[in-house]
Amino acid sequence: MKLPYLQSNSSFRTPSDLLKASDYTHRWVNHEMSNFEYLMKLNSIAGRSYNDLSQYPIFPWILKDFTSDTIDLNDENVYRDLSKPIGVQNKKFEVYVREKYESFEDPTGTMQPFHYGTHYSNSANVMHYLIRLEPFTTLHIQLQSDKFDVADRQFYSIPSSWKILYENPTDAKELIPEFFYLPEFLLNMNNFDFGELQSNKDRVNDVSLPKWAKSPEQFVYLHRKALESEYVSSHMHEWIDLIFGYKQQGVEAEKALNVFMYYSYEGAIDVDAITDPVARNATEGMISNFGQIPIQLLKEPHPKRKSLQQSIKDKIVQGKPIVLWDQIKNLKAYYVDFCDVKRDEVIDPVIYINIPRNQIKSFIQQGLSEPLITICQSGVIGVNGWQAYERSAANLFSFEKDPSLLYNRTKKSIATQFDPNFELNSRVFVLTNDSKLLVSGAHWDNSLRVFSLSKNRNIAHLFQHSDIVTTLAIDYTSSYVVSGSKDCLCMIWKVVQEYGNCVNVEPSPFHILYGHSDWVTAVDISNELDIVISGSKDGTVNIHSLQSGCYVKTLNFNNNDIISFNSVNIKLNNERHILIYTDSVIMKSSTRKNKYEIFVYSINGQLISYEKLNCRVQDMIFQDKYCILGLLINHKSLNTANNSLNSNNFEDNADSKKFIDTTSKIVFKDYFDLNTMHSIRLKAAITCINLTRDESHLLVGLSDGKLIVITGDRSIK
């Protein structure tokens, strides 16, 4: 529909122009964007939105094996044919659909021939899949005259849904994004009475899963893994051609058996030209209920995605960073002598590392070093230079130590005394994304300090907590900071921003969060998910709403064996999962022993995975589908003044007789089953870890004053 009084402007970009102007396709082809993320981008550009059920985002059926006891995602036979519409996945229906199209006749001359009388995406389909979640339950009831539809027509089984599609060419439903990230939509958590099936009188409750999925969480995990598989990556362009591309309309659509009812196509009916209100409402209702074809984005074949190995080789040649996960089995560790053992009387190890995410550079600045912020145990701040691998560089990275760290008179410090009874760690510092502000806790006066890196001084002291601030976190957009304290409280603070720059923190907290009975040891925050989580020595993890400050849920880790908790650490990832580490004391055979455990929960409190560890976790990272743990092993001493290395490859130095101190290990785990994918042994205690913003390097601070850089092997094989 055209908006009244809006003059056309030839300079307006069409969705097709927007896609071409973006770098989404290039990034996807080169494995710089996941399949899921790219499909969401295409849906958004083509006018699909969560806000319109008649134009909801479309995702493809990926698998066709929903009956086997186990599934091998490396087997091509378990996948559907992405080059064909869902209505002709069964080859025996191709002739039927083609003949139906060729023999179609409309005496009135208004109807054009079509292959399918139903659509792959419409409001009824969305409500069909999401019937167990509000508000879709209510919408479904309203659609069905204030009652649930017959149980046999509801979404009650994934294997049955595929079987119906495969055996019925008139059903052309594709999937929705929730199949790849939201296990809750498969559960009848509200205990709705959906009735019983006519065939076997079974009551419809939770959605029946394939045999190879033991839980909704496992189904979504494996389904998402299938979506990102090498097979799907190499064929996804074929499905994109059908839904968004050149096979969507015209002769190519006819050849591909991909033609739908004429009024589902953009511009097929000029609704504005219909003057009769009744006829206009009827037409709009028909279009809305049947479904709408997405806006066509491409009129030429979509490029094929490169294989992962080819993408890695190309990035090596072009001097581009490679994410750690793509080379998880081929990582190496290299060291930087951050502290000069010969000159410094006392080793001052790095306890906080961060490379700000939003470093916007002009064309002239391209290729120059980025700031790498370090904080030492004494509170000394370093603004070092960091550069990932460049084509012109001989090394895998470039690190330039801040010159001000060389002499005591030039060192920059937070310039305040920390509580001497508190062991400083990376959790008491946060840095804004633009590297303008550093917020710190653990100060003797219970304050929260805001340090301006540009002005090289403290610009704010925030006095609201009644005891030491023990932990801090900042959201992805640097809009909010959350603090936890020994006073058992958490406080949310708004970051003051001017013209996109962070200039200060508001003096009064946005919300004060209650619920713990012992001091808070860890917090995390997500503005996108509207969630704040906090862990305490009382053995609980509390979940609050960020915007309202309302309490949501508590995860309790107390049991009869546990006497007390030394620490609880938590991390929140962007996939709606929480990683929790507990360090507790238990009584075993009349002896006190430490117990170390990690858990992965959904943000709705569903336990996904658990593992008991043999050693303490000093620091951890939770990124997408991976957990990175910094483990301390055989802790004996922190006296590392005599430690030395003769090789730039930290792992390859075989002279271990000199090392009498704590050893440590970096462990990479899959979040779902906590399987160890790779581990790297280090020869000193870990103090902190940080992942670079492009996820190509892992930075590790050690107690002996060294900085370890872990990255993939860039030799072309």
Side-chain angles (χ1 to χ4, degrees), residues 339-357:
C339 294
D340 191 333
V341 179
K342 295 181 180 179
R343 187 184 68 248
D344 298 339
E345 295 180 0
V346 179
I347 291 178
D348 194 11
V350 174
I351 59 171
Y352 178 81
I353 313 169
N354 200 335
I355 299 177
R357 281 191 292 267

Side-chain angles (χ1 to χ4, degrees), residues 520-589:
V520 181
T521 58
V523 290
D524 209 345
I525 183 172
S526 171
N527 195 5
E528 295 85 351
L529 297 174
D530 185 31
I531 186 174
V532 176
I533 54 177
S534 56
S536 167
K537 291 183 72 174
D538 62 12
T540 64
V541 171
N542 287 343
I543 302 175
H544 287 81
S545 165
L546 167 60
Q547 296 301 326
S548 68
C550 293
Y551 167 81
V552 177
K553 186 183 290 287
T554 293
L555 305 177
N556 196 329
F557 299 92
N558 287 284
N559 58 52
N560 295 332
D561 295 331
I562 295 177
I563 300 172
S564 63
F565 286 86
N566 296 320
S567 180
V568 174
N569 196 2
I570 51 179
K571 295 293 180 182
L572 180 67
N573 75 351
N574 56 6
E575 296 288 339
R576 306 169 59 257
H577 298 127
I578 306 170
L579 174 64
I580 302 171
Y581 161 72
T582 62
D583 176 356
S584 58
V585 178
I586 62 173
M587 184 66 71
K588 191 172 184 179
S589 302

Side-chain angles (χ1 to χ4, degrees), residues 14 27 63 79 169 285 310 384-385 389 504 520 551 561 568 618 684:
T14 65
R27 289 173 57 195
L63 299 168
Y79 297 95
Q310 184 58 50
N384 312 276
Y389 177 84
N504 211 327
V520 181
Y551 167 81
D561 295 331
V568 174
Q618 176 66 14

Side-chain angles (χ1 to χ4, degrees), residues 594-638:
N594 286 93
K595 184 179 181 182
Y596 311 112
E597 299 171 292
I598 54 173
F599 309 80
V600 176
Y601 278 85
S602 73
I603 60 172
N604 289 316
Q606 180 65 42
L607 178 63
I608 296 173
S609 53
Y610 160 81
E611 184 180 5
K612 184 178 179 180
L613 303 174
N614 295 321
C615 46
R616 183 159 65 94
V617 176
Q618 176 66 14
D619 203 354
M620 61 188 193
I621 294 172
F622 197 18
Q623 188 75 15
D624 295 332
K625 303 293 184 181
Y626 303 94
C627 311
I628 306 177
L629 307 178
L631 304 179
L632 298 183
I633 305 171
N634 299 327
H635 189 195
K636 295 179 181 179
S637 170
L638 289 178

Side-chain angles (χ1 to χ4, degrees), residues 404-421:
S404 69
L405 298 175
L406 298 177
Y407 306 100
N408 289 331
R409 59 184 176 83
T410 59
K411 288 181 178 178
K412 301 183 288 289
S413 177
I414 297 178
T416 185
Q417 185 176 356
F418 294 103
D419 185 336
N421 298 318

Side-chain angles (χ1 to χ4, degrees), residues 30-47:
N30 289 281
H31 284 261
E32 296 171 11
M33 181 183 289
S34 69
N35 291 337
F36 181 89
E37 187 178 1
Y38 185 57
L39 290 179
M40 288 302 299
K41 297 289 187 185
L42 292 180
N43 272 285
S44 179
I45 294 174

